[in-house]
Amino acid sequence: MRRFPGKVAFVTGAASGIGRATAIAFAREGAQVAITDRTEAPLEELRAEIEADGGAVLAIRCDVSVPADVEAAVASTVAQFGRLDCAFNNAGIENKAAPVHEIALDEWDRILDVNLRGTFLCMKQEIAQMLRQGSGVVVNTASGAAIRGVAGGASYAASKHALIGLTKSAALDYAKSNIRVNAVLPGNIETSMMDRFTGGDIQKAIALEPVGRLGKPEEIADAVLWMCSDLGSFVTGASISVDGGWSL
């Protein structure tokens, strides 16, 4: 039995990695899915794949750091599917490694604009729609870096730490409005971001994992869908680590 028949899911950063896996999982569980990303070609490839598998999907080019893009993306989703039940704010970027005193201001702004401001802009639009319809679930992608320091990664870690505060505060704001807000904290996952982070030497990342392997994007998707489903109905304001013990 599929978990999301008649539901509508909205996924940012859907063109690759965790976002891609989660969009596919939502569609296979019966949801109508709006997929967004800045990169159009892989987004269109994902749209075609979901449609070929029998899913209902809307592909939207969207830069989450641009308010007009976000507003248009959520509005298009509601115009197409009539509502918005699950929002997975996954779009994010990694920083260029540097100690704090060497971080350029434009690099700091670049990371915070996407990872924190972008998530905030999405939540504003998503939650406004959920309030109109009387229910909804939001899941934000934080990171194991949201609960520990990262040498050379202050801007990324700061953005992800802030997401935890944003998630908890929003959970309190809407607890009585039938809207739940949670965060998933991935560890070292088999994605293109991890390839860039390690410079192609994936053993560096594996060595950091107590379980001795990288996580799969599908394992994060499983956690997101659980939080969005009725099985997670009493969970709000939570930060759930899915990281093979890395944050320990």
Side-chain angles (χ1 to χ4, degrees), residues 96-107:
K96 298 173 184 176
V100 169
H101 76 284
E102 293 181 6
I103 298 173
L105 183 57
D106 61 351
E107 169 69 358

Side-chain angles (χ1 to χ4, degrees), residues 38-236:
R38 296 189 298 188
T39 311
E40 291 186 75
L43 193 66
E44 283 302 311
E45 291 173 6
L46 176 59
R47 178 194 59 76
E49 181 176 338
I50 291 174
E51 286 183 342
D53 200 34
V57 59
L58 174 66
I60 309 166
R61 188 196 174 282
C62 175
D63 182 337
V64 298
S65 68
V66 178
D69 276 17
V70 174
E71 184 174 0
V74 173
S76 295
T77 300
V78 176
Q80 178 79 9
F81 298 129
R83 58 186 294 113
L84 175 58
D85 299 289
C86 308
F88 180 39
N89 297 316
N90 171 70
I93 55 176
E94 76 276 19
N95 64 266
K96 298 173 184 176
V100 169
H101 76 284
E102 293 181 6
I103 298 173
L105 183 57
D106 61 351
E107 169 69 358
W108 175 271
D109 290 342
R110 184 180 73 89
I111 300 301
L112 272 292
D113 277 354
V114 175
N115 294 0
L116 180 57
R117 185 174 186 264
T119 300
F120 162 71
L121 291 172
C122 288
M123 290 175 69
K124 277 178 64 70
Q125 299 298 325
E126 295 155 358
I127 291 171
Q129 171 59 32
M130 292 172 180
L131 286 169
R132 286 191 287 271
Q133 65 195 34
S135 64
V137 184
V138 175
V139 178
N140 299 321
T141 296
S143 168
I147 53 175
R148 55 174 289 176
V150 180
S155 55
Y156 182 81
S159 72
K160 296 301 187 176
H161 273 72
L163 277 181
I164 299 299
L166 177 59
T167 296
K168 290 180 177 181
S169 298
L172 291 173
D173 284 345
Y174 305 105
K176 290 184 171 62
S177 300
N178 200 28
I179 297 171
R180 296 187 292 109
V181 186
N182 294 296
V184 63
L185 282 59
N188 297 297
I189 310 299
E190 293 177 1
T191 64
S192 56
M193 182 183 288
M194 185 55 58
D195 288 339
R196 292 190 299 271
F197 175 73
T198 61
D201 184 2
I202 213 68
Q203 290 301 319
K204 291 180 181 178
I206 293 173
L208 296 172
E209 284 290 350
V211 298
R213 69 171 178 88
L214 299 184
K216 299 181 183 301
E218 292 78 10
E219 292 175 303
I220 308 303
D222 287 342
V224 173
L225 265 64
W226 179 83
M227 283 186 270
C228 288
S229 76
D230 290 341
L231 294 176
S233 60
F234 201 54
V235 179
T236 194

